[in-house]
Amino acid sequence: MPRLWAFCLLLASARAMPRSLQVNRTCPYQEECDASINLRHIEKLERYVNIEVDPCEDFHGYACGNWNNIHGQQDSAMSLSGDHINQQYENLFENLLRDRAAEEHGMPIYPNLVKYYHSCKVVNKPRLRRYLELLPAPTSSHWLDLVALLGRYGYHEHYVKIEVSQHNASQHMILIQPHNYNLNWNFTMHIYKVLRRHLQNEGQLLHFQDMKEKFLELEQNLLRLAKPAVEADNLKVYTLEGLQREIPEVNWSRTLGKQMGRIIHQDHQLLIDELPAIRNLINYLNEADGNLLKLYSLARFLNYLTQLPHNPLEKSEVSSSSRSSVCVRHMRKALYLAMNYAYETSFYHKQRSADDLVIHRVFEELKAEFTNTLNRNDFGLNPTLLTALKAKIEGVRLNVGNMPRNVPKDFYLDFEQSWLVGRDFYENHLHSLLHFNAHLSHLESMRNGLEKHIWYSFNYHGPELMDNIDATPYFYCLSSIIIIPYAYVQLPFYHYQFWPALLYGDLANTLGHEMLHAFDTYFVDYDAQGNMRDYSDELLLNPLYNASVNCLNDSSVESLNERTSDISGSRLALQTYMKDPQERLANGRLYFLQFAQFFCGEKGDIFHDVGSKRLNYALAQMPEFVEVFHCGPGQAMNPTERCSFW
Ligand SMILES: *[C@@H]1O[C@H](CO)[C@@H](O)[C@H](O)[C@H]1NC(C)=O
Ligand SMILES: *[C@@H]1O[C@H](CO)[C@@H](O)[C@H](O)[C@H]1NC(C)=O
Ligand SMILES: *[C@@H]1O[C@H](CO)[C@@H](O)[C@H](O)[C@H]1NC(C)=O
Ligand SMILES: *[C@@H]1O[C@H](CO)[C@@H](O)[C@H](O)[C@H]1NC(C)=O
Ligand SMILES: *[C@@H]1O[C@H](CO)[C@@H](O)[C@H](O)[C@H]1NC(C)=O
Ligand SMILES: *[C@@H]1O[C@H](CO)[C@@H](O)[C@H](O)[C@H]1NC(C)=O
Ligand SMILES: [Zn+2]
């Protein structure tokens, strides 16, 4: 053992010490880069390194070996960074509550946010019934009127699903489907009691168990009727008039008009999925017990509201200090754009111009390099397909902070006009849902080119979006846009004054990964404008492409399209910035350590393999890694056969 120790230490110092002295201190896009920022960061990276692990056997174990000792089991760099942003919001709102003279009180958006935050903080015992009290009465007792009313709040998960959804990079459409098959809800005693008290003037309700059974029976019937006759793509475009002709049993113009809050013209185009199933459902529902249908709708609406991500009512018993954090998390979901506006204005704007310069330059350089790759045409693709793919890479956009771009002066004043904040949390929450969904309806009707340009320049997240999507950079395929959240554009991932190994080690790899999602095994099917074109049908007929996919597609991979982006994104970054063998020898170790940090403590999720597996797999695919760490043949990070992709 002691001999092994000495050996490891020797090896480590022999590897590490001289290299860090030769670090390339060029400042690629600025006059000067502050050395202390870089040196402090390098020191931090070195502290995560476990020198007892051989980087050639397990690079994640080497680069992240001390991560848990320093940061604990639960956290990754991305989650810590997200927490930091939440803390900044908390401090901001707490200050504004205390300091009534702060200038933000006279700016757009902030007063509403502060009122909302306050109303959220003072909630104690959940009073779900208040949601129902605030709901306007539907204009008739017909089940579809209530569905349309609830649809205005973005709830549409049962009976017939009517929603506005994004169709391509510049269009939303109304989509009508049979109800959601996935009955992911619970009829609880709590909800039952709320209904009973709310409806006490409308006669005696069934007992809890009996009602539960009635609901179950209803669901089973709906489930049966909603099943498509044949498993196929039955999505078709109808005009409103055409739909009314096909299914005359309900008044569509009235229903859609109610839900969208505007008149829908007879020639308006709608997307309809499984029209025969919708017809069957409607015929059944028109004959069913109206009272039961109403109870079921209200019960599910309440369930929906409580299950929205970070609804503070779910955590109403926590202490006042953690309430701040609960409320901030909730508001970042419910008031997405307003909250981003506040972050931009209070924090990020100081940094934006320096960041934009660096990040967009790196983005353009990676794009240019990938265009070269396509021009080389290693797969031997036909010219038409190649042209379409080149248009795709040309069309990929970038949005740091996910804010609308080039907005006119009064944009946020106008935005605020249609957003009401009222007396209590329940009212505020419902208004926020109305506001978001009215916006979607407006988007769907939008014809003005300039207005569209603004609203399609970012991805306006809805209140239902789960955390694992918006917590890290991602590629939004329908808009062909890379979203970089505020949580990413800070240390430890990025600083505009980073030296090349640190700057490219994460930023170029991350942008490369997201950019190549446009060419991964799923999203390659969409064109630059987000229209589905099924390009992979043709690609998979190409034997070289097919062989590349098969090579990566082993049974252990969680999702193939993450793996393809991992390896082709890392390759792109390396080809762009670490091509020179001398530069690689001097800076490669640091470059790979900076890259590794993103994966330290990453647990993986339904889309991603665990961090250690992703990192080791991606780097083992790169012969350059072996060179930097002098790995011998047969070591784990130096497999005898490698896969290639783009
Ligand atoms: C988006 O989809 C609509 C409806 O299919 C289509 O008319 C329009 O041309 C598409 N937009 C672009 C930019 O391709
Ligand atoms: C429904 O309740 C059961 C038992 O309380 C629980 O195990 C389950 O996770 C709940 N389902 C949902 C979707 O909340
Ligand atoms: C639908 O209802 C509207 C009133 O909301 C009415 O004007 C229209 O005639 C009705 N259409 C049909 C087809 O019944
Ligand atoms: C593509 O790979 C699959 C194996 O996954 C194989 O069955 C198919 O024949 C291949 N197609 C071509 C064109 O090489
Ligand atoms: C990857 O492999 C799975 C089975 O292992 C197969 O179902 C899937 O179609 C493959 N994907 C591609 C893009 O070839
Ligand atoms: C240092 O990095 C810059 C920017 O990436 C690069 O242009 C330059 O060639 C590097 N210098 C050396 C000595 O490798
Ligand atoms: Zn990804």
Side-chain angles (χ1 to χ4, degrees):
M1 278 313 274
R3 275 193 52 192
L4 194 65
W5 261 100
F7 178 71
C8 285
L9 285 173
L10 210 74
L11 211 69
S13 52
R15 272 176 182 165
M17 293 318 287
R19 294 282 151 63
S20 46
L21 297 176
Q22 302 169 21
V23 161
N24 182 340
R25 298 185 170 212
T26 308
C27 199
Y29 310 102
Q30 315 278 326
E31 291 276 299
E32 215 177 340
C33 283
D34 183 338
S36 68
I37 292 173
N38 286 278
L39 293 172
R40 234 180 299 137
H41 188 74
I42 292 171
E43 205 180 294
K44 205 166 172 193
L45 291 178
E46 296 291 359
R47 279 210 304 275
Y48 300 141
V49 172
N50 180 353
I51 53 170
E52 290 171 50
V53 177
D54 183 346
C56 293
E57 292 297 340
D58 171 8
F59 187 62
H60 186 273
Y62 171 78
C64 302
N66 290 330
W67 176 270
N68 286 352
N69 295 340
I70 296 170
H71 294 294
Q73 298 271 345
Q74 295 310 313
D75 292 309
S76 65
M78 218 48 249
S79 71
L80 290 171
S81 202
D83 293 346
H84 173 65
I85 303 264
N86 287 335
Q87 190 60 55
Q88 285 177 294
Y89 275 117
E90 279 179 49
N91 297 346
L92 172 68
F93 292 132
E94 289 298 327
N95 279 335
L96 291 178
L97 280 181
R98 267 195 305 272
D99 179 4
R100 303 311 299 188
E103 61 170 343
E104 285 89 339
H105 294 294
M107 290 160 62
I109 308 289
Y110 284 91
N112 273 3
L113 287 176
V114 172
K115 267 192 266 174
Y116 197 113
Y117 178 74
H118 181 255
S119 77
C120 174
K121 273 202 76 176
V122 298
V123 166
N124 40 43
K125 210 163 152 281
R127 286 170 54 220
L128 291 189
R129 195 178 148 206
R130 180 95 183 113
Y131 280 133
L132 296 183
E133 285 165 7
L134 290 163
L135 212 56
T139 38
S140 83
S141 60
H142 192 273
W143 62 272
L144 195 50
D145 268 359
L146 183 53
V147 166
L149 177 70
L150 301 182
R152 303 186 69 135
Y153 298 86
Y155 172 69
H156 36 53
E157 294 304 311
H158 70 287
Y159 301 159
V160 175
K161 176 170 183 161
I162 306 171
E163 70 174 326
V164 174
S165 70
Q166 185 160 356
H167 188 59
N168 60 27
S170 52
Q171 185 149 351
H172 277 64
M173 288 187 84
I174 297 175
L175 171 65
I176 306 181
Q177 292 172 286
H179 80 111
N180 195 352
Y181 312 109
N182 162 23
L183 295 173
N184 187 8
W185 84 293
N186 265 346
F187 180 50
T188 58
M189 191 63 179
H190 185 191
I191 290 180
Y192 172 78
K193 284 185 176 159
V194 171
L195 287 177
R196 197 174 57 193
R197 289 194 42 219
H198 183 66
L199 301 170
Q200 58 197 351
N201 298 331
E202 300 183 20
Q204 204 60 41
L205 280 195
L206 290 172
H207 287 299
F208 176 60
Q209 273 310 331
D210 295 338
M211 194 181 292
K212 206 168 177 165
E213 272 162 36
K214 286 268 186 209
F215 282 179
L216 212 61
E217 190 189 324
L218 175 64
E219 278 168 0
Q220 277 159 358
N221 287 330
L222 295 175
L223 214 59
R224 185 170 45 76
L225 293 164
K227 276 230 172 62
V230 278
E231 289 289 348
D233 187 8
N234 292 320
L235 200 64
K236 287 207 190 76
V237 177
Y238 288 82
T239 60
L240 175 56
E241 195 178 15
L243 175 64
Q244 189 65 50
R245 227 182 0 256
E246 289 289 334
I247 308 182
E249 289 82 4
V250 290
N251 186 332
W252 289 105
S253 152
R254 188 182 135 113
T255 304
L256 295 181
K258 280 216 164 106
Q259 179 164 335
M260 300 301 145
R262 62 189 162 88
I263 293 166
I264 312 285
H265 295 290
Q266 291 301 315
D267 60 355
H268 197 83
Q269 303 223 310
L270 312 165
L271 276 176
I272 314 290
D273 195 16
E274 307 287 353
L275 186 126
I278 294 176
R279 185 188 290 126
N280 289 342
L281 283 167
I282 285 177
N283 286 332
Y284 171 84
L285 290 161
N286 277 349
E287 296 300 317
D289 172 359
N291 210 26
L292 179 72
L293 297 188
K294 174 180 165 184
L295 283 168
Y296 185 74
S297 287
L298 294 178
R300 289 210 58 178
F301 182 56
L302 286 177
N303 178 77
Y304 163 77
L305 292 172
T306 54
Q307 290 193 349
L308 279 171
H310 301 297
N311 185 326
L313 299 179
E314 290 287 281
K315 295 226 172 75
S316 58
E317 70 290 343
V318 301
S319 68
S320 156
S321 61
S322 27
R323 264 208 90 63
S324 315
S325 140
V326 168
C327 290
V328 159
R329 279 165 211 269
H330 162 73
M331 288 168 69
R332 292 185 70 187
K333 295 286 159 191
L335 308 168
Y336 183 75
L337 182 53
M339 287 292 276
N340 274 5
Y341 169 83
Y343 193 86
E344 180 82 26
T345 311
S346 291
F347 304 104
Y348 192 63
H349 81 105
K350 291 167 250 164
Q351 185 186 331
R352 163 139 335 248
S353 63
D355 278 4
D356 272 356
L357 182 85
V358 175
I359 299 173
H360 284 268
R361 283 282 291 279
V362 173
F363 178 64
E364 292 304 329
E365 286 164 1
L366 289 168
K367 253 186 171 179
E369 182 65 32
F370 192 67
T371 306
N372 290 340
T373 304
L374 289 177
N375 281 332
R376 247 189 359 255
N377 197 9
D378 293 337
F379 289 131
L381 304 175
N382 83 48
T384 321
L385 181 56
L386 200 61
T387 304
L389 296 182
K390 280 200 272 185
K392 260 194 96 150
I393 189 65
E394 186 55 38
V396 177
R397 298 176 289 161
L398 180 65
N399 191 325
V400 176
N402 202 14
M403 291 289 284
R405 309 307 299 268
N406 304 319
V407 301
K409 202 168 139 282
D410 290 343
F411 181 83
Y412 289 101
L413 282 172
D414 292 345
F415 178 79
E416 175 184 62
Q417 286 274 306
S418 52
W419 165 32
L420 300 180
V421 177
R423 284 158 299 180
D424 65 19
F425 171 75
Y426 302 88
E427 198 173 349
N428 293 343
H429 190 199
L430 290 178
H431 280 319
S432 74
L433 294 170
L434 282 177
H435 186 240
F436 177 76
N437 287 285
H439 166 73
L440 283 187
S441 163
H442 178 57
L443 209 54
E444 195 265 341
S445 72
M446 208 177 272
R447 296 290 170 263
N448 170 341
L450 202 64
E451 200 184 5
K452 272 200 172 195
H453 205 73
I454 293 169
W455 286 105
Y456 285 95
S457 68
F458 73 114
N459 185 17
Y460 191 173
H461 296 171
E464 295 177 52
L465 196 80
M466 301 306 287
D467 283 354
N468 58 3
I469 298 182
D470 69 351
T472 78
Y474 71 93
F475 175 69
Y476 182 46
C477 146
L478 288 180
S479 283
S480 203
I481 187 163
I482 295 173
I483 308 289
I484 305 288
Y486 293 120
Y488 181 82
V489 276
Q490 55 179 341
L491 290 170
F493 305 109
Y494 162 83
H495 194 287
Y496 73 99
Q497 298 199 45
F498 266 171
W499 293 332
L502 299 178
L503 182 65
Y504 301 128
D506 205 310
L507 182 66
N509 273 295
T510 297
L511 290 177
H513 174 100
E514 302 309 340
M515 191 178 284
L516 287 179
H517 267 309
F519 297 82
D520 75 20
T521 45
Y522 302 147
F523 296 142
V524 73
D525 279 338
Y526 294 83
D527 71 13
Q529 280 77 40
N531 300 297
M532 175 54 111
R533 301 284 184 204
D534 290 322
Y535 294 131
S536 59
D537 289 353
E538 188 178 341
L539 283 166
L540 287 168
L541 292 176
N542 176 306
L544 289 175
Y545 180 90
N546 197 37
S548 289
V549 172
N550 288 336
C551 181
L552 291 164
N553 192 12
D554 65 48
S555 57
S556 76
V557 60
E558 195 65 52
S559 56
L560 180 60
N561 73 323
E562 285 303 333
R563 177 172 280 185
T564 57
S565 293
D566 276 346
I567 75 148
S568 52
S570 302
R571 168 136 309 283
L572 177 63
L574 191 108
Q575 274 171 357
T576 314
Y577 296 114
M578 283 280 149
K579 211 177 183 146
D580 174 26
Q582 287 307 315
E583 169 86 350
R584 229 170 25 236
L585 275 178
N587 292 276
R589 178 177 171 275
L590 202 50
Y591 174 87
F592 288 123
L593 282 183
Q594 172 69 0
F595 179 47
Q597 181 192 220
F598 183 92
F599 300 93
C600 297
E602 271 293 338
K603 299 288 182 303
D605 56 31
I606 54 165
F607 305 112
H608 300 93
D609 284 320
V610 58
S612 53
K613 186 171 164 191
R614 281 182 70 191
L615 178 69
N616 286 350
Y617 188 91
L619 294 184
Q621 296 305 315
M622 276 198 250
E624 293 86 351
F625 176 87
V626 169
E627 235 179 75
V628 170
F629 289 94
H630 310 291
C631 303
Q635 291 200 275
M637 298 296 294
N638 188 10
T640 43
E641 296 194 3
R642 295 189 167 87
C643 300
S644 61
F645 196 53
W646 292 110

